[in-house]
Amino acid sequence: MHWTKHLESGALALFLGAAALAAGGQGVPASSTLHQRSAIQSSERDWWKSAVIYEIYPRSFQDSNGDGVGDLNGITQRLDYLKELGIDAIWLSPVYPSPQVDFGYDISDYKNIDPQYGTMADFDRLVAEAGKRHIRVLMDMVMNHSSDKHQWFLQSRSSRTNPYRDWYVWSDGKGETTTDKGQPPNNWISYFGHSAWQWDETTRQYYYHKFYAQQPDLNWNNPKVHEAFKDIISFWLKRGVGGFRFDAVPTLFEDPNLTDEGVVKDKDGKPIINSFGDQELDDSKTTNQPGVHEVMQEMRAYADTFSAASFPGTRVLIGETYMPNITELAKMYGPAGKPEFQLPMDTQVGMINKLDVATFRTKLIEAETELNNNTPLLLFDNHDNPRIQARYGDGVHDTDIQRALSTVLFLSRGAVQMYYGDEIGMLTTTPSRKEDVKDPIGISGWPEEKGRDGERTPMQWDSSANAGFSTAKPWLPVPPSAALLNVADESRDPSSLLAWYRSLIRIKKTNPTMVCGVETMLDTNNTKVLSWMRKAQGAPPVVVSVNFTAESQTVNLNVPGANGKLKTLLKTPGASDPASLEKIELGPYGVYIGEVK
Ligand code: GLC
């Protein structure tokens, strides 16, 4: 089962700035003219609008101290690699102190670093070194719940009169007596299996947890919780972070009446049973409840106060927003005058999970036209979902398919979120034995739900035994595919996927049309090839054609006003240049990108 399933119910100035920064590294180049300077300032402000955001799962990126677990100093060591790739920001999955039940998404201290990952000094060094390479560091911010070991919760559970009691969601059970705990207050279930209510003997009440029992939900009806999180956000922004990815946003609030949720039925009227053996519920009382948007407006207004002169560069808020459709996603940007996220993730495109040209076209048009001129944030995978190849590959053309999909990702208008290892085509390697599983949902849900270890394996730097990730046995095994799919080997091969990613990112960041140009679909009845054009004032239009099939295809792109001539920017390795716009030949899963003359 895919993680998404859990949550489903639920200008040119910019270009000049980007190019100047790419050429001059960080800051304003000494020779810059006034014009360039203002372009750079605008690029600082708008950096996120065409940003490439690279997610790092810190446990698995680079181990620097030989304990088999990745760490902050490891990431710092690899910054030159990331700079060469051309990314703008790294998003770090949580590195705060944590019992690691959910590998950091159970936070016990929001203002510190887990010793497993390093020290606060290591963190400051990472931010400073990344800054020198013009890479921003974004933190993960988990606001739905804390760890049950957080001081707030330890206090909260200690007595019904403790000042922290109402920082969490507590309730009496049903039919509870002085000797019997009765039944949970309602039928709500956790995304991670079974009742979302946990009995707590000390104070004889149940507490609510949408995720693991060790992740009690915070009570967002309590203004003190809001203040606590603003204080945490301020703490990290003052340390120089470029923004946050807000975790599990739709689940912040629950129905205050604790009404039962509806049971989801199949077409024969039978309840659907999920991989944990529970009846699937409709999530109608525990996700997207009133209040979520107001909290995000409050957090955005607060974060924006840090984007003033003394803190150059906009602080960006990304949302973990698995929304059911584009209308709901559009709301995550906030209503006019009350902004919420700059970049709520758009799972509409990347989670189609099928190479279906018409659906891709529809979803991309929606992203371009139905988000009220906001910036889409496209992505294909992350630490919760099987990697690209596992969801789109055919086992024969996996690299070609990833070339095709990465073209859609990087050359559509907007910002991009990518996941470490995508650029080398890392595979999802799911454990084959229950005893090897680390992700708790893979243990409790075995064999139907095997957990998320498969997409969290160590970064493959080279073909050595531990893939250059660690000198010790890595916390998750390095898959055999690392012998072929690794940074060292792919760096030497101009036709590798890594070389393709570098080229796409360079085009996205330096071609004036691709930085900010508007997007129009071409050849819209074609069910085999997805083609589109990007256009920006004062720069040549760019056309992109991506063959979604294993057979060769020929497309005729009729661009009004064009004389049919093309200048190739990038094409599938080995392919020849097309004679004209009217006859672009594409091999299996082939890609063509060219400037229209
Ligand atoms: C988010 C994270 C996921 C985590 C969950 C609970 O969905 O991406 O990894 O398990 O929140 O914090």
Side-chain angles (χ1 to χ4, degrees):
M1 179 203 278
H2 290 164
W3 173 246
T4 45
K5 243 188 118 196
H6 293 294
L7 300 177
E8 256 163 15
S9 51
L12 193 62
L14 185 57
F15 157 67
L16 284 173
L21 286 166
Q26 114 122 344
V28 182
S31 63
S32 71
T33 61
L34 248 184
H35 175 69
Q36 276 174 320
R37 243 196 310 272
S38 79
I40 289 164
Q41 275 154 9
S42 125
S43 118
E44 282 288 313
R45 196 178 55 236
D46 293 340
W47 70 271
W48 50 274
K49 290 190 177 171
S50 65
V52 177
I53 299 163
Y54 185 98
E55 180 189 357
I56 291 183
Y57 198 66
R59 296 183 78 75
S60 297
F61 197 60
Q62 179 67 59
D63 172 20
S64 74
N65 64 352
D67 64 358
V69 173
D71 46 48
L72 295 176
N73 287 340
I75 299 170
T76 307
Q77 283 170 16
R78 295 294 188 178
L79 285 170
D80 285 336
Y81 165 77
L82 296 173
K83 181 179 157 64
E84 204 184 328
L85 187 58
I87 59 143
D88 300 277
I90 52 179
W91 148 34
L92 296 180
S93 288
V95 288
Y96 316 95
S98 162
Q100 306 288 341
V101 171
D102 192 15
F103 298 113
Y105 284 92
D106 47 324
I107 300 170
S108 52
D109 178 359
Y110 285 81
K111 291 188 188 170
N112 222 324
I113 298 293
D114 193 298
Q116 227 177 30
Y117 298 130
T119 64
M120 196 58 100
D122 296 334
F123 179 81
D124 290 342
R125 201 163 62 86
L126 168 61
V127 172
E129 289 296 323
K132 284 184 197 160
R133 293 161 179 84
H134 218 79
I135 295 173
R136 289 163 164 92
V137 176
L138 311 177
M139 301 288 275
D140 215 310
M141 188 47 61
V142 185
M143 309 197 305
N144 178 69
H145 48 266
S146 72
S147 159
D148 63 342
K149 299 293 180 299
H150 195 292
Q151 276 303 323
W152 301 334
F153 189 70
L154 295 176
Q155 296 270 345
S156 184
R157 80 189 322 179
S158 67
S159 90
R160 288 197 186 197
T161 55
N162 186 282
Y164 285 91
R165 184 67 176 181
D166 61 353
W167 282 50
Y168 293 86
V169 183
W170 291 97
S171 175
D172 290 334
K174 274 188 194 156
E176 181 201 335
T177 64
T178 46
T179 52
D180 190 310
K181 62 182 184 178
Q183 293 299 314
N186 60 25
N187 74 343
W188 297 352
I189 53 171
S190 156
Y191 282 142
F192 291 163
H194 316 312
S195 174
W197 295 96
Q198 178 75 20
W199 173 254
D200 207 45
E201 189 56 40
T202 315
T203 57
R204 300 192 57 77
Q205 271 194 319
Y206 287 84
Y207 69 85
Y208 174 71
H209 58 94
K210 186 72 180 171
F211 297 88
Y212 292 120
Q214 297 90 334
Q215 295 170 301
D217 270 48
L218 283 148
N219 173 17
W220 279 88
N221 291 307
N222 183 343
K224 293 197 178 109
V225 171
H226 295 224
E227 293 317 310
F229 274 91
K230 286 198 271 193
D231 178 50
I232 292 162
I233 285 170
S234 148
F235 176 86
W236 292 103
L237 288 177
K238 286 179 182 160
R239 289 200 105 84
V241 310
F244 300 95
R245 175 258 191 190
F246 283 180
D247 182 73
V249 170
T251 57
L252 287 190
F253 289 90
E254 301 76 40
D255 168 33
N257 301 320
L258 308 187
T259 317
D260 274 354
E261 288 189 326
V263 172
V264 183
K265 309 237 169 96
D266 64 16
K267 57 177 183 359
D268 303 322
K270 285 210 215 81
I272 293 179
I273 305 299
N274 69 21
S275 41
F276 300 104
D278 307 318
Q279 285 190 353
E280 190 92 34
L281 302 181
D282 63 11
D283 265 347
S284 59
K285 305 290 173 190
T286 56
T287 60
N288 295 316
Q289 300 298 297
V292 172
H293 291 288
E294 287 75 6
V295 169
M296 293 310 141
Q297 289 159 23
E298 181 187 356
M299 295 300 154
R300 171 68 184 276
Y302 188 67
D304 278 354
T305 63
F306 288 82
S307 299
S310 53
F311 296 95
T314 302
R315 301 312 200 245
V316 71
L317 299 186
I318 298 171
E320 190 199 19
T321 45
Y322 290 93
M323 307 313 283
N325 54 51
I326 197 81
T327 313
E328 290 302 314
L329 176 63
K331 291 181 189 160
M332 288 293 173
Y333 292 87
K338 291 186 184 164
E340 298 178 26
F341 294 108
Q342 284 104 331
L343 298 175
M345 36 182 240
D346 180 343
T347 55
Q348 303 294 308
V349 177
M351 306 282 171
I352 293 171
N353 295 339
K354 207 169 134 200
L355 287 173
D356 180 82
V357 174
T359 310
F360 268 84
R361 189 178 290 127
T362 304
K363 299 285 182 186
L364 287 165
I365 292 174
E366 285 180 0
E368 185 67 6
T369 59
E370 293 184 36
L371 295 178
N372 309 319
N373 294 320
N374 284 298
T375 304
L377 171 62
L378 300 185
L379 67 146
F380 275 96
D381 52 8
N382 58 26
H383 66 286
D384 292 325
N385 290 286
R387 288 178 178 272
I388 300 176
Q389 147 279 337
R391 298 186 352 260
Y392 292 93
D394 66 356
V396 179
H397 305 89
D398 288 356
T399 306
D400 299 322
I401 291 172
Q402 202 169 330
R403 254 194 216 99
L405 290 176
S406 56
T407 307
V408 175
L409 181 68
F410 290 103
L411 301 188
S412 300
R413 187 182 67 86
V416 164
Q417 188 179 297
M418 63 179 287
Y419 187 46
Y420 80 93
D422 282 350
E423 70 275 26
I424 51 170
M426 270 176 66
L427 308 180
T428 297
T429 312
T430 307
S432 53
R433 305 180 322 170
K434 186 177 176 184
E435 54 268 39
D436 296 332
V437 177
K438 298 278 193 297
D439 184 10
I441 54 169
I443 300 169
S444 60
W446 192 273
E448 240 191 276
E449 168 63 71
K450 295 193 167 88
R452 298 162 288 177
D453 293 355
E455 54 264 25
R456 298 175 175 179
T457 57
M459 177 67 177
Q460 297 163 193
W461 298 103
D462 59 39
S463 59
S464 67
N466 296 333
F469 164 72
S470 177
T471 52
K473 184 174 180 247
W475 78 285
L476 280 178
V478 169
S481 51
L484 287 175
L485 305 173
N486 63 73
V487 171
D489 288 338
E490 294 193 35
S491 294
R492 287 189 285 267
D493 175 5
S495 67
S496 67
L497 191 62
L498 177 57
W500 182 260
Y501 266 67
R502 285 184 176 143
S503 302
L504 283 178
I505 296 174
R506 186 178 33 78
I507 292 172
K508 181 178 182 66
K509 307 301 303 177
T510 61
N511 180 289
T513 305
M514 291 321 232
V515 171
C516 53
V518 293
E519 183 166 321
T520 324
M521 289 292 151
L522 300 173
D523 193 22
T524 52
N525 290 326
N526 197 325
T527 56
K528 311 264 165 73
V529 181
L530 184 72
S531 301
W532 68 99
M533 177 170 62
R534 301 279 307 277
K535 256 181 145 171
Q537 238 183 353
V542 175
V543 292
V544 185
S545 279
V546 180
N547 181 359
F548 271 48
T549 72
E551 294 83 44
S552 297
Q553 306 289 341
T554 304
V555 287
N556 174 354
L557 300 184
N558 197 348
V559 178
N563 70 7
K565 296 252 161 37
L566 282 167
K567 181 184 150 207
T568 300
L569 294 178
L570 187 67
K571 58 186 179 180
T572 306
S576 46
D577 283 335
S580 76
L581 200 52
E582 282 81 42
K583 196 171 178 218
I584 299 176
E585 288 174 321
L586 301 160
Y589 302 103
V591 175
Y592 178 77
I593 304 153
E595 263 177 10
V596 179
K597 295 294 170 195

